[in-house]
Amino acid sequence: MAKILFVMTGADSLTLADGTGHPTGFWAEEAVAPYRAFRAAGHEVVVATPGGVAPTVDRASLAPEVNGGQDGADRIAAELEAMTELAHPLRLEDVRLDDYAAVFYPGGHGPMEDLAVDAASGRLLVDALAAGTPLGVVCHGPAALLAAVTQDGANAFAGYRVAGFTNAEETQGGLAPRLKWLLQDRLTEAGVDVVEGEPWAPHVVVDRTLVTGQNPASSAPLADELLKRLG
Protein backbone atom coordinates (compact mmCIF):
# COMPACT_ATOMS: atom_id res chain seq x y z
CA MET A 1 0.00 0.00 0.00
CA ALA A 2 1.23 3.48 -0.92
CA LYS A 3 0.06 6.85 0.34
CA ILE A 4 -1.27 9.26 -2.28
CA LEU A 5 -1.61 12.94 -1.46
CA PHE A 6 -4.70 14.78 -2.72
CA VAL A 7 -3.92 18.50 -2.83
CA MET A 8 -7.29 20.23 -2.93
CA THR A 9 -8.55 23.77 -3.12
CA GLY A 10 -9.70 25.45 0.07
CA ALA A 11 -11.67 28.09 -1.86
CA ASP A 12 -15.45 28.11 -1.96
CA SER A 13 -15.78 31.01 -4.40
CA LEU A 14 -13.95 32.38 -7.44
CA THR A 15 -13.45 36.13 -7.79
CA LEU A 16 -14.75 37.17 -11.18
CA ALA A 17 -13.56 40.04 -13.37
CA ASP A 18 -16.20 42.37 -11.91
CA GLY A 19 -15.09 41.61 -8.35
CA THR A 20 -18.08 39.46 -7.43
CA GLY A 21 -17.76 35.91 -6.17
CA HIS A 22 -18.88 32.83 -8.08
CA PRO A 23 -19.65 29.80 -5.85
CA THR A 24 -17.21 26.99 -6.54
CA GLY A 25 -14.85 24.53 -4.84
CA PHE A 26 -13.64 21.17 -6.14
CA TRP A 27 -15.46 19.19 -8.83
CA ALA A 28 -16.96 16.04 -7.35
CA GLU A 29 -16.14 13.54 -10.12
CA GLU A 30 -12.53 14.69 -10.26
CA ALA A 31 -12.03 13.71 -6.63
CA VAL A 32 -14.37 10.72 -6.44
CA ALA A 33 -13.27 8.78 -9.54
CA PRO A 34 -9.53 8.84 -8.72
CA TYR A 35 -10.22 8.18 -5.04
CA ARG A 36 -12.26 5.13 -6.04
CA ALA A 37 -9.46 3.85 -8.28
CA PHE A 38 -6.68 4.45 -5.76
CA ARG A 39 -8.55 2.83 -2.89
CA ALA A 40 -9.55 -0.14 -5.05
CA ALA A 41 -5.85 -0.64 -5.79
CA GLY A 42 -5.16 -0.79 -2.06
CA HIS A 43 -3.64 2.65 -1.59
CA GLU A 44 -4.24 5.18 1.17
CA VAL A 45 -5.42 8.71 0.35
CA VAL A 46 -4.44 11.74 2.43
CA VAL A 47 -6.02 15.15 1.77
CA ALA A 48 -4.25 18.49 2.21
CA THR A 49 -5.53 22.03 1.62
CA PRO A 50 -4.15 25.52 2.19
CA GLY A 51 -4.55 26.17 5.89
CA GLY A 52 -6.07 22.74 6.46
CA VAL A 53 -9.62 23.92 5.76
CA ALA A 54 -12.16 21.27 4.80
CA PRO A 55 -12.60 21.49 1.01
CA THR A 56 -15.95 22.59 -0.41
CA VAL A 57 -17.58 20.67 -3.22
CA ASP A 58 -18.90 22.73 -6.14
CA ARG A 59 -22.63 22.14 -5.88
CA ALA A 60 -22.94 22.26 -9.67
CA SER A 61 -20.87 19.08 -9.85
CA LEU A 62 -23.56 17.16 -7.96
CA ALA A 63 -26.33 17.96 -10.45
CA PRO A 64 -28.02 15.15 -12.40
CA GLU A 65 -27.19 16.76 -15.77
CA VAL A 66 -23.43 16.39 -15.23
CA ASN A 67 -23.66 12.91 -13.72
CA GLY A 68 -25.67 11.05 -16.33
CA GLY A 69 -28.98 11.47 -14.52
CA GLN A 70 -30.33 11.32 -10.98
CA ASP A 71 -28.98 7.84 -10.26
CA GLY A 72 -25.48 8.98 -11.15
CA ALA A 73 -25.86 12.12 -9.06
CA ASP A 74 -27.04 10.08 -6.08
CA ARG A 75 -24.15 7.65 -6.51
CA ILE A 76 -21.46 10.33 -6.65
CA ALA A 77 -22.97 12.15 -3.67
CA ALA A 78 -22.87 8.92 -1.66
CA GLU A 79 -19.26 8.23 -2.65
CA LEU A 80 -18.32 11.78 -1.73
CA GLU A 81 -19.96 11.36 1.66
CA ALA A 82 -17.88 8.23 2.23
CA MET A 83 -14.61 10.12 1.64
CA THR A 84 -14.05 10.78 5.33
CA GLU A 85 -10.55 12.14 4.60
CA LEU A 86 -12.18 15.35 3.34
CA ALA A 87 -13.36 16.30 6.81
CA HIS A 88 -9.89 16.47 8.38
CA PRO A 89 -7.31 17.58 5.81
CA LEU A 90 -3.70 18.31 6.61
CA ARG A 91 -2.34 21.82 6.34
CA LEU A 92 -0.65 21.94 2.95
CA GLU A 93 2.09 24.00 4.55
CA ASP A 94 2.99 21.05 6.82
CA VAL A 95 3.11 18.32 4.16
CA ARG A 96 6.32 16.28 3.70
CA LEU A 97 6.62 15.10 0.12
CA ASP A 98 8.74 12.13 1.19
CA ASP A 99 5.69 10.61 2.89
CA TYR A 100 3.86 10.05 -0.41
CA ALA A 101 4.28 7.85 -3.46
CA ALA A 102 2.26 10.20 -5.70
CA VAL A 103 0.51 13.56 -5.64
CA PHE A 104 -2.87 14.30 -7.22
CA TYR A 105 -4.65 17.63 -7.83
CA PRO A 106 -8.38 17.53 -8.65
CA GLY A 107 -9.99 20.53 -10.31
CA GLY A 108 -13.07 22.66 -10.11
CA HIS A 109 -12.66 26.43 -10.42
CA GLY A 110 -11.38 26.63 -6.83
CA PRO A 111 -7.70 26.12 -7.72
CA MET A 112 -7.84 29.27 -9.86
CA GLU A 113 -8.60 31.21 -6.68
CA ASP A 114 -6.04 29.79 -4.25
CA LEU A 115 -3.67 27.12 -5.58
CA ALA A 116 -2.68 29.25 -8.59
CA VAL A 117 -0.90 31.60 -6.17
CA ASP A 118 -0.20 29.31 -3.21
CA ALA A 119 3.51 29.26 -2.35
CA ALA A 120 3.38 25.99 -0.38
CA SER A 121 1.69 24.21 -3.27
CA GLY A 122 4.17 25.71 -5.70
CA ARG A 123 7.13 24.46 -3.64
CA LEU A 124 5.57 21.00 -3.39
CA LEU A 125 5.20 20.80 -7.16
CA VAL A 126 8.75 21.97 -7.80
CA ASP A 127 10.04 19.43 -5.28
CA ALA A 128 7.89 16.64 -6.77
CA LEU A 129 9.38 17.26 -10.20
CA ALA A 130 12.89 17.23 -8.79
CA ALA A 131 12.24 14.02 -6.84
CA GLY A 132 10.56 12.21 -9.72
CA THR A 133 7.34 11.79 -7.74
CA PRO A 134 4.42 10.90 -10.01
CA LEU A 135 2.04 13.84 -10.36
CA GLY A 136 -1.59 13.73 -11.51
CA VAL A 137 -3.44 16.98 -12.25
CA VAL A 138 -6.88 17.32 -13.85
CA CYS A 139 -9.18 19.95 -15.40
CA HIS A 140 -8.67 23.30 -13.55
CA GLY A 141 -6.13 21.63 -11.24
CA PRO A 142 -3.31 22.75 -13.59
CA ALA A 143 -3.92 26.28 -12.30
CA ALA A 144 -1.68 25.12 -9.44
CA LEU A 145 1.20 24.74 -11.90
CA LEU A 146 1.27 28.53 -12.22
CA ALA A 147 2.68 28.81 -8.67
CA ALA A 148 5.50 26.34 -9.37
CA VAL A 149 8.21 28.93 -9.99
CA THR A 150 11.90 28.08 -9.67
CA GLN A 151 14.58 30.26 -8.09
CA ASP A 152 15.41 31.80 -11.46
CA GLY A 153 11.81 32.97 -11.86
CA ALA A 154 10.84 30.45 -14.55
CA ASN A 155 7.90 28.09 -14.34
CA ALA A 156 9.06 24.58 -13.41
CA PHE A 157 6.62 23.11 -15.95
CA ALA A 158 7.73 25.26 -18.88
CA GLY A 159 8.23 22.93 -21.85
CA TYR A 160 6.01 20.20 -20.39
CA ARG A 161 3.09 18.90 -22.46
CA VAL A 162 -0.05 19.34 -20.38
CA ALA A 163 -3.81 18.86 -20.69
CA GLY A 164 -6.16 21.19 -18.86
CA PHE A 165 -9.58 22.79 -19.14
CA THR A 166 -9.55 24.56 -22.49
CA ASN A 167 -10.74 27.98 -23.61
CA ALA A 168 -13.32 26.20 -25.78
CA GLU A 169 -14.74 24.33 -22.78
CA GLU A 170 -14.73 27.46 -20.61
CA THR A 171 -16.61 29.31 -23.37
CA GLN A 172 -19.11 26.49 -23.88
CA GLY A 173 -19.61 26.31 -20.13
CA GLY A 174 -20.64 29.96 -20.17
CA LEU A 175 -18.19 31.37 -17.63
CA ALA A 176 -15.36 32.54 -19.92
CA PRO A 177 -16.58 36.13 -20.44
CA ARG A 178 -16.83 36.66 -16.68
CA LEU A 179 -13.40 35.32 -15.67
CA LYS A 180 -10.33 37.39 -14.85
CA TRP A 181 -8.21 34.95 -16.88
CA LEU A 182 -8.45 31.69 -18.76
CA LEU A 183 -6.45 28.67 -17.68
CA GLN A 184 -5.24 27.69 -21.15
CA ASP A 185 -4.03 31.23 -21.83
CA ARG A 186 -2.20 31.58 -18.52
CA LEU A 187 -0.48 28.20 -18.84
CA THR A 188 0.64 29.05 -22.36
CA GLU A 189 2.03 32.38 -21.15
CA ALA A 190 4.05 30.47 -18.52
CA GLY A 191 5.69 28.37 -21.23
CA VAL A 192 3.59 25.26 -20.71
CA ASP A 193 2.62 23.38 -23.89
CA VAL A 194 -1.14 22.91 -23.60
CA VAL A 195 -2.23 19.95 -25.74
CA GLU A 196 -5.89 20.47 -26.58
CA GLY A 197 -8.31 17.60 -27.07
CA GLU A 198 -11.96 17.57 -28.09
CA PRO A 199 -14.20 19.51 -25.69
CA TRP A 200 -15.63 17.36 -22.88
CA ALA A 201 -14.09 14.12 -24.20
CA PRO A 202 -11.54 12.16 -22.11
CA HIS A 203 -8.05 13.44 -22.89
CA VAL A 204 -4.95 12.50 -20.89
CA VAL A 205 -1.41 13.67 -21.59
CA VAL A 206 1.69 12.02 -20.11
CA ASP A 207 5.02 13.85 -20.03
CA ARG A 208 7.77 12.35 -17.91
CA THR A 209 6.39 12.04 -14.33
CA LEU A 210 3.44 14.36 -15.03
CA VAL A 211 0.00 12.98 -15.95
CA THR A 212 -2.67 15.56 -16.76
CA GLY A 213 -6.33 15.42 -17.82
CA GLN A 214 -8.41 17.98 -19.65
CA ASN A 215 -11.83 17.77 -17.99
CA PRO A 216 -14.01 15.76 -15.58
CA ALA A 217 -14.31 12.89 -18.07
CA SER A 218 -10.51 12.57 -17.97
CA SER A 219 -10.27 11.95 -14.22
CA ALA A 220 -10.78 8.16 -14.26
CA PRO A 221 -8.36 7.47 -17.15
CA LEU A 222 -5.84 9.81 -15.52
CA ALA A 223 -6.07 7.80 -12.30
CA ASP A 224 -5.37 4.61 -14.26
CA GLU A 225 -2.25 6.18 -15.79
CA LEU A 226 -1.05 7.39 -12.41
CA LEU A 227 -1.53 3.93 -10.91
CA LYS A 228 0.75 2.46 -13.59
CA ARG A 229 3.53 4.66 -12.23
CA LEU A 230 3.19 3.24 -8.74
CA GLY A 231 4.26 -0.19 -9.93
Side-chain angles (χ1 to χ4, degrees):
M1 177 191 286
K3 290 171 70 173
I4 300 174
L5 180 69
F6 273 40
V7 179
M8 301 182 66
T9 179
D12 59 9
S13 68
L14 175 65
T15 306
L16 300 175
D18 64 2
T20 60
H22 177 74
T24 187
F26 69 90
W27 198 259
E29 182 180 359
E30 295 168 21
V32 168
Y35 179 88
R36 181 195 308 134
F38 299 151
R39 294 291 291 151
H43 300 306
E44 178 183 352
V45 170
V46 177
V47 174
T49 63
V53 302
T56 298
V57 64
D58 188 322
R59 303 304 300 179
S61 69
L62 300 177
E65 53 266 33
V66 297
N67 289 293
Q70 189 60 55
D71 287 348
D74 292 344
R75 188 163 53 249
I76 205 160
E79 287 191 80
L80 194 62
E81 185 71 24
M83 291 176 61
T84 55
E85 296 88 349
L86 295 172
H88 305 287
L90 301 178
R91 281 170 33 92
L92 184 53
E93 299 83 351
D94 298 336
V95 163
R96 285 171 33 88
L97 178 64
D98 291 348
D99 294 337
Y100 303 96
V103 179
F104 173 68
Y105 281 70
H109 280 98
M112 293 178 68
E113 184 74 16
D114 58 357
L115 297 178
V117 294
D118 188 274
S121 175
R123 285 193 300 272
L124 180 74
L125 287 167
V126 171
D127 291 346
L129 278 189
T133 304
L135 276 171
V137 193
V138 69
C139 201
H140 288 91
L145 307 187
L146 298 171
V149 179
T150 60
Q151 290 184 340
D152 62 5
N155 190 283
F157 292 90
Y160 274 76
R161 298 170 71 253
V162 169
F165 204 67
T166 63
N167 290 356
E169 288 166 321
E170 203 74 82
T171 299
Q172 291 173 21
L175 202 56
R178 304 173 62 196
L179 295 177
K180 288 182 176 181
W181 49 275
L182 298 178
L183 177 61
Q184 184 176 354
D185 289 348
R186 190 64 66 85
L187 288 170
T188 301
E189 291 165 7
V192 178
D193 180 12
V194 178
V195 182
E196 189 171 352
E198 288 297 316
W200 314 110
H203 178 57
V204 173
V205 173
V206 179
D207 190 343
R208 288 159 276 186
T209 55
L210 177 66
V211 183
T212 51
Q214 180 170 308
N215 46 37
S218 307
S219 55
L222 182 153
D224 290 341
E225 285 292 337
L226 199 60
L227 281 170
K228 292 176 186 176
R229 280 146 186 81
L230 298 182

